[in-house]
Amino acid sequence: MGGDAVLPPTAWAVLGLLSFPGERTGYELKKWADASLRFFYWSPAISQIYAELRRLEALGYATSRRSGPEAPRTKRAYAITDEGRAALAAWADGGRDVGPPVLKHPLLLRIWLGHLTAPDRLRDLVAEHIAQTRGELREARDALARVDRSDGPQSWSHPQVALRWSERRLEAEVGLAEAMLDDLAELEARGARGGVDGP
Amino acid sequence: MGGDAVLPPTAWAVLGLLSFPGERTGYELKKWADASLRFFYWSPAISQIYAELRRLEALGYATSRRSGPEAPRTKRAYAITDEGRAALAAWADGGRDVGPPVLKHPLLLRIWLGHLTAPDRLRDLVAEHIAQTRGELREARDALARVDRSDGPQSWSHPQVALRWSERRLEAEVGLAEAMLDDLAELEARGARGGVDGP
DNA sequence: AATCCCATGTAAAACGTTACATGATTCT
DNA sequence: AGAATCATGTAACGTTTTACATGGGATT
């Protein structure tokens, strides 16, 4: 089958999930993506994971087997094939340019349109974001702790690096939001005194 | 027309672009999005901007007029209507939750799969990303400088806050990548000495 | 005259989500 | 026995991108 296929990043991400030792079901993949992939590269919908797994299998990059009887809707575990591993390695190694990171930050969209919103509403939104981010930070640290413990073979050292990056990133995100809170406060102070310029 | 419509964030972003003083063509909107929106909320394809503008006009949230004769494919400038402004304000003010930021970072996907890639290839990728990010940082600062200069009315103070956030964010992104470079180097050092544990 | 940038638009395809339907397994 | 969670899959829909077609105006 396909010696080299053009696939969306999501397909490679799912194949990447499969590239770590062991067999996994789509359901398990989804949980894993929620717990780690999503910190630096979003977690696809479960239905999409199933779709990608079917595509990967059609390409010969993965195989599946049912644990029990050949009945529909019973557990199906996937494993990467040698071909899949080769294709993934070629993708990982190929292309000088990996493509720019994409950030969609709804909060910033709101801030940007801040002239339409009450100042304290805006502050609340930012505060809520900080709380949310702290929650994510805890989860990222949990994930990191799990990887640290499960060590042994070196296959997990790169996910570890990715999670460390995610941890720092979330810390930075909190700092960024706090700085923005200050900016907003300053804006209000200036606004309250009336003019565009200082007193 | 539509007293309250459910629209994707992109539609609100385009309407937001229109909510600042002046008329603009789709083409100008695209350039503006590239120069500022994209730092915190990605820049839609030009064809999508045209599509959103048509939808916004159909909803009565925007109006358009042709500068010259009523010929096809001539310049068409859009402006927001009062209804549009009201709808945008309602959207900006509504909904406690703004939705989580989404980050898709292809570089991190590669790092995460680092066991498939040569270590120095990985380093190159990160170095390239740092260079790229520094370029973005320059652009963000240019955008900020333009906004700073064009001041006067206060409508630009919130975009200014958003751009300041973006500037800091990009600075943080560089720091994050540098820290990851260190992690990678440490990994290699440990790997070169063989074991999973220290000396 | 050729080229580049401005400018608008269509069509097809891919991507991705939501909602729904279905049933097995495990825990209380 | 009932509930929660595990588990797979389909269908419909909306979003977004890519490629393409078209042509005016300005610059070299």
Side-chain angles (χ1 to χ4, degrees):
Chain A
M1 269 99 232
D4 60 326
V6 176
L7 292 174
T10 306
W12 297 116
V14 171
L15 192 56
L17 250 7
L18 246 25
S19 79
F20 296 90
E23 281 187 333
R24 282 165 198 85
T25 65
Y27 191 88
E28 287 168 331
L29 254 22
K30 170 59 176 169
K31 277 193 308 179
W32 189 13
D34 281 346
S36 97
L37 231 209
R38 82 141 207 278
F39 293 115
F40 46 87
Y41 202 86
W42 123 98
S43 187
I46 179 72
S47 65
Q48 201 191 346
I49 289 182
Y50 287 125
E52 295 296 357
L53 285 171
R54 285 191 291 269
R55 160 152 61 175
L56 258 14
E57 189 168 30
L59 285 167
Y61 291 170
T63 49
S64 72
R65 71 184 182 80
R66 301 215 108 120
S67 0
E70 261 312 307
R73 279 168 213 271
T74 54
K75 209 198 240 220
R76 181 194 289 273
Y78 284 87
I80 194 169
T81 62
D82 288 340
E83 251 219 279
R85 204 173 285 281
L88 184 59
W91 173 79
D93 208 70
R96 247 289 140 262
D97 204 9
V98 298
V102 174
L103 176 66
K104 277 193 191 185
H105 209 310
L107 174 65
L108 264 288
L109 199 54
R110 238 76 164 213
I111 298 292
W112 176 67
L113 259 21
H115 60 295
L116 297 165
T117 314
D120 49 330
R121 191 102 172 82
L122 233 41
R123 261 201 292 97
D124 288 355
L125 249 26
V126 180
E128 174 62 22
H129 171 65
I130 291 176
Q132 215 75 41
T133 307
R134 291 220 165 98
E136 293 239 310
L137 188 50
R138 269 193 299 279
E139 288 173 58
R141 281 174 178 152
D142 287 352
L144 192 50
R146 278 195 299 277
V147 167
D148 283 346
R149 269 202 314 281
S150 85
D151 224 319
Q154 84 302 357
S155 1
W156 302 100
S157 49
H158 285 99
Q160 206 173 26
V161 172
L163 281 173
R164 267 207 284 271
W165 181 92
S166 304
E167 186 189 10
R168 295 194 192 108
R169 214 231 93 206
L170 288 166
E171 288 165 354
E173 181 83 12
V174 171
L176 251 23
E178 286 168 345
M180 188 161 62
L181 232 30
D182 291 345
D183 282 357
L184 252 20
E186 206 209 314
L187 214 68
E188 242 187 298
R190 274 196 300 146
R193 283 201 311 279
V196 168
D197 304 306
Chain B
M1 268 98 231
D4 61 327
V6 176
L7 292 174
T10 307
W12 297 116
V14 172
L15 193 55
L17 250 7
L18 245 27
S19 78
F20 295 91
E23 280 187 333
R24 281 163 199 84
T25 66
Y27 191 88
E28 286 168 332
L29 254 22
K30 170 60 176 167
K31 278 192 308 176
W32 188 14
D34 281 346
S36 99
L37 232 210
R38 83 139 206 279
F39 292 116
F40 47 87
Y41 202 86
W42 124 102
S43 186
I46 177 74
S47 65
Q48 200 191 348
I49 289 182
Y50 287 125
E52 296 296 357
L53 285 172
R54 283 191 292 268
R55 160 153 61 176
L56 258 16
E57 188 167 30
L59 285 167
Y61 291 171
T63 48
S64 72
R65 70 184 182 80
R66 300 216 109 121
S67 2
E70 264 310 308
R73 280 167 213 272
T74 55
K75 206 197 243 215
R76 182 193 289 273
Y78 286 85
I80 194 170
T81 63
D82 289 340
E83 251 218 279
R85 202 172 288 279
L88 184 59
W91 173 79
D93 208 69
R96 247 288 140 264
D97 205 10
V98 299
V102 174
L103 176 65
K104 277 194 192 184
H105 208 310
L107 174 66
L108 265 288
L109 199 54
R110 239 77 164 212
I111 297 293
W112 176 66
L113 261 21
H115 61 293
L116 297 164
T117 313
D120 49 331
R121 191 104 172 81
L122 234 42
R123 261 198 295 95
D124 288 355
L125 249 28
V126 179
E128 174 61 22
H129 171 64
I130 291 175
Q132 215 76 42
T133 307
R134 290 219 166 98
E136 293 238 312
L137 188 50
R138 267 191 303 278
E139 287 173 60
R141 282 173 177 153
D142 286 352
L144 193 49
R146 276 195 300 275
V147 168
D148 282 347
R149 266 201 317 281
S150 85
D151 223 321
Q154 85 300 358
S155 1
W156 302 100
S157 50
H158 285 99
Q160 206 172 26
V161 171
L163 281 173
R164 266 209 283 270
W165 181 92
S166 303
E167 185 189 13
R168 295 193 192 109
R169 215 230 93 207
L170 289 166
E171 287 165 353
E173 180 84 10
V174 171
L176 251 22
E178 284 168 346
M180 188 160 63
L181 232 30
D182 292 345
D183 282 357
L184 252 19
E186 207 210 313
L187 214 69
E188 242 186 297
R190 274 196 299 146
R193 284 201 310 278
V196 169
D197 304 306

